[in-house]
Structures are given as structure tokens and as C-alpha cells.
Amino acid sequence: PNREGKAPWHPGFKVHAMTGHSIALFLTDVLLAALDELLNFEIEDLDEVIAKLKEEEYDHYDKRIVQGDLQDFPKQVYPLTEAKEEIDNDSEFNILTLFKGRSICHTARLPAMTRYLGHLTNTEKVGGPAVFGEEEYETGVELTEAMLTAGGEKSDSSSTMKLGFDRDRWYNQKCPVIVSPDRKDFFFVLGGSGWNEIIIPNPAEKQAYQYDPSVLEGLVVLVFRYCDWGKCEEHFLKPEDFLEGKKWDMQINGIAVTKIVDIGHTALVAKNERGFHFPPSEDGNYKIAIQVNEPSGFVKISSFIIF
């Protein structure tokens, strides 16, 4: 069918189907091999066997991942050319933390289950993938609509950072079925709205995942909502606008962020005067605040990740 969004260079759904079948056949083969081994296994106590298998799995994970030597792996994944000097100058920054450390991921993007289950938004609105207009989970507000209704003088007070979306072609498709569950939603801050705050983890996240920020390293990573194909909207503020002209500011638990360092793949790590580490608040969380100084500008962030 002649649908919007088709591109001659895209291989189409058949490639995805082929990849999915390849993965499924591999997993089926492994499952059959495991069942065959279990059939020939002398089981005296099922609970004892399960406990032994779990112990082997944890031991394998500990030796290969937790205790494994991944020194070269981050260099292959993250192009740290620009950030290397700054990271090397911080003796407490261990790049392996981004791969093996505990973390809290607070993402606006779909299809994240934290969105569907209401944990991210700290609400009881629960749902699943749905066509536009029929969602039962918290969708946030459309950015253009928020900009039209903002107006007024610059605010000196703080407010909660809003969850938002762009009503692009994926939202506008008139189709009775879900064409794509992937949506590049974001948190946003408008110029003139004062300090906008977000608390991570929120009560719902703490209850659902037993998050404990006190055991984290205190590294705060931002993943920006970058422009598709490099075509940015008017008044869209980029990461480089943080230092160039100070068009937007950021604080973490009241500590001023002095720089955001690009570590690749649209991810940036926040830095203060003393280094990359930010301690949790007395309440045991991270309060991240952003203020846009450009009157008509706005900042869009896909995810906050705390390691």
C-alpha cells in the first residue's frame, strides 16, 4: 500500500521478519537442547537442581561480566575522543560504570514499560501500545500546544518538568491498527517558565524497582532529543547552547552544572566544578532542574540516566 513514511532505501518489514525468525530459530534450538539434556538428567530433587543451575548462571555472570575485563569494550562503543581528557583528569570517573554499574533510567521514549505502567509519571494511569488518541497511559502534552498556552512574563518560581510529544507523522497516521509503537517522546522546558524540576526516582519508581540512589556513583547522563536528519525546529536549543551564550542552565540537587560532556550516541554526562560526581539529596533522590534563558527557546531531553 502507498503509506506515508515509505522510503526506497529502507529494506522493509521482510528484513525484520528474517532477523526475527533467525533469532527465534536459534532460541528454539537452544531450548530443545536444554530439554534434551534435562530428559537425560537424573533428578532427585527439582528444587536442588534449579538452585544449582541458578548458582551456575550467577557465577558465569559474575566472572564474565561483573569481574570481566571490559577495558577495551567501552572504547569500541563510545567515541571518547573529545571527552577523554576530561574523564582522565577525574580519577573517580570509571568509564566501566556505564556498562557494569547500577543505574536508574528515567526515559520518556516509548515503548518503555515504565511509561505504560505509570511508574515514570507516578500515576495510576496504566495502558499499553495504542493508536493515537486511544492511549490509556499518561501521554503528556503536545509541545506546540504547550508553547501556545504558555505566554506571560518570565516566572521566578519552580515547576515540574513536563512530559511531551511532537504530533508528527507517526501520531497523525489515520490507521485502526498500531503502525509503530516507537515514539520519540521527551521531557521539555520552555523559555520564560523558570526552573523546571524533575525528581528521580519518584515514589512509584522506588516502590516498583527498590531504587537506592545511595549505592550509585552519582554520574548523571542526559540523552537529548536530537533533530531528525539534522533538521531542527525553530528555537530548538542544542547541548552546545548550554555553554555558548548560556541559553539554558542546569542544577542537580542545587549544585550548578558547569559543563555537559559529549560521550557519544547522543549521550552527555553532567559536570560540576569539582568533577562528574553529584551526591544524592538528603531525601535520597536526585532533583534535576533546568531553566531556559532564551525567551522563545526550548530544551527537549529523551532520558535521564543516573549511575
Side-chain angles (χ1 to χ4, degrees):
N2 187 22
R3 290 197 53 77
E4 181 184 0
K6 290 175 63 177
W9 50 264
H10 198 285
F13 74 93
K14 291 186 178 180
V15 171
H16 295 297
M18 181 185 70
T19 304
H21 277 80
S22 299
I23 296 173
L25 289 172
F26 167 74
L27 293 175
T28 303
D29 188 53
V30 172
L31 177 62
L32 291 173
L35 290 173
D36 185 58
E37 185 175 336
L38 286 173
L39 287 173
N40 298 307
F41 195 81
E42 294 183 5
I43 300 176
E44 296 181 1
D45 187 332
L46 183 60
D47 292 334
E48 184 178 339
V49 172
I50 293 176
K52 183 180 179 181
L53 291 174
K54 284 185 175 180
E55 184 179 351
E56 290 179 2
E57 181 182 357
Y58 294 148
D59 183 64
H60 181 81
Y61 174 78
D62 183 68
K63 290 180 179 178
R64 295 292 183 90
I65 305 297
V66 178
Q67 303 298 331
D69 183 11
L70 302 178
Q71 291 293 338
D72 293 330
F73 186 63
K75 298 175 184 177
Q76 298 173 14
V77 177
Y78 280 86
L80 298 172
T81 306
E82 298 180 6
K84 188 176 186 306
E85 184 178 350
E86 299 215 34
I87 291 175
D88 289 346
N89 289 335
D90 190 328
S91 59
E92 297 182 1
F93 191 116
N94 184 356
I95 193 64
L96 292 180
T97 301
L98 302 180
F99 293 87
K100 301 197 297 184
R102 299 181 182 182
S103 64
I104 299 174
C105 182
H106 197 81
T107 182
R109 300 190 66 153
L110 290 170
M113 287 303 297
T114 53
R115 285 280 308 274
Y116 293 144
L117 296 175
H119 299 154
L120 180 100
T121 49
N122 196 35
T123 67
E124 296 182 356
K125 297 181 69 174
V126 178
V131 296
F132 181 62
E134 297 183 13
E135 302 94 338
E136 295 181 352
Y137 58 89
E138 181 62 57
T139 60
V141 296
E142 199 270 321
L143 180 61
T144 304
E145 182 179 332
M147 295 174 70
L148 291 173
T149 57
E153 298 294 327
K154 180 178 178 180
S155 174
D156 294 323
S157 60
S158 60
S159 58
T160 302
M161 197 177 300
K162 293 181 175 60
L163 174 69
F165 63 90
D166 288 321
R167 190 168 292 172
D168 54 18
R169 66 184 185 186
W170 301 116
Y171 280 90
N172 287 330
Q173 291 190 85
K174 296 179 181 179
C175 189
V177 297
I178 302 169
V179 178
S180 172
D182 303 313
R183 296 182 180 177
K184 301 175 183 178
D185 293 355
F186 46 82
F187 304 99
F188 69 92
V189 180
L190 302 177
S193 62
W195 287 100
N196 285 223
E197 302 173 345
I198 191 168
I199 295 178
I200 305 172
N202 62 41
E205 290 172 318
K206 278 189 175 182
Q207 182 177 357
Y209 310 111
Q210 288 79 54
Y211 284 141
D212 182 8
S214 66
V215 302
L216 303 179
E217 295 292 328
L219 299 176
V220 180
V221 174
L222 298 78
V223 181
F224 254 69
R225 172 65 170 92
Y226 277 74
C227 312
D228 292 329
W229 310 109
K231 298 179 180 179
C232 297
E233 307 145 270
E234 188 178 6
H235 307 304
F236 179 94
L237 297 182
K238 303 177 182 178
E240 47 265 36
D241 292 317
F242 179 78
L243 287 177
E244 298 175 7
K246 297 292 289 182
K247 295 182 179 179
W248 61 280
D249 296 312
M250 181 176 176
Q251 294 180 354
I252 300 174
N253 286 339
I255 302 173
V257 175
T258 56
K259 194 172 185 180
I260 48 176
V261 179
D262 188 353
I263 56 175
H265 299 279
T266 72
L268 304 103
V269 60
K271 186 178 182 181
N272 58 56
E273 288 184 346
R274 296 186 177 183
F276 289 98
H277 297 261
F278 292 84
S281 68
E282 294 180 356
D283 297 328
N285 53 40
Y286 280 83
K287 181 185 288 185
I288 300 176
I290 292 177
Q291 176 176 260
V292 173
N293 303 317
E294 187 80 7
S296 56
F298 57 89
V299 168
K300 295 159 66 173
I301 297 176
S302 291
S303 309
F304 295 96
I305 310 168
I306 303 173
F307 291 91

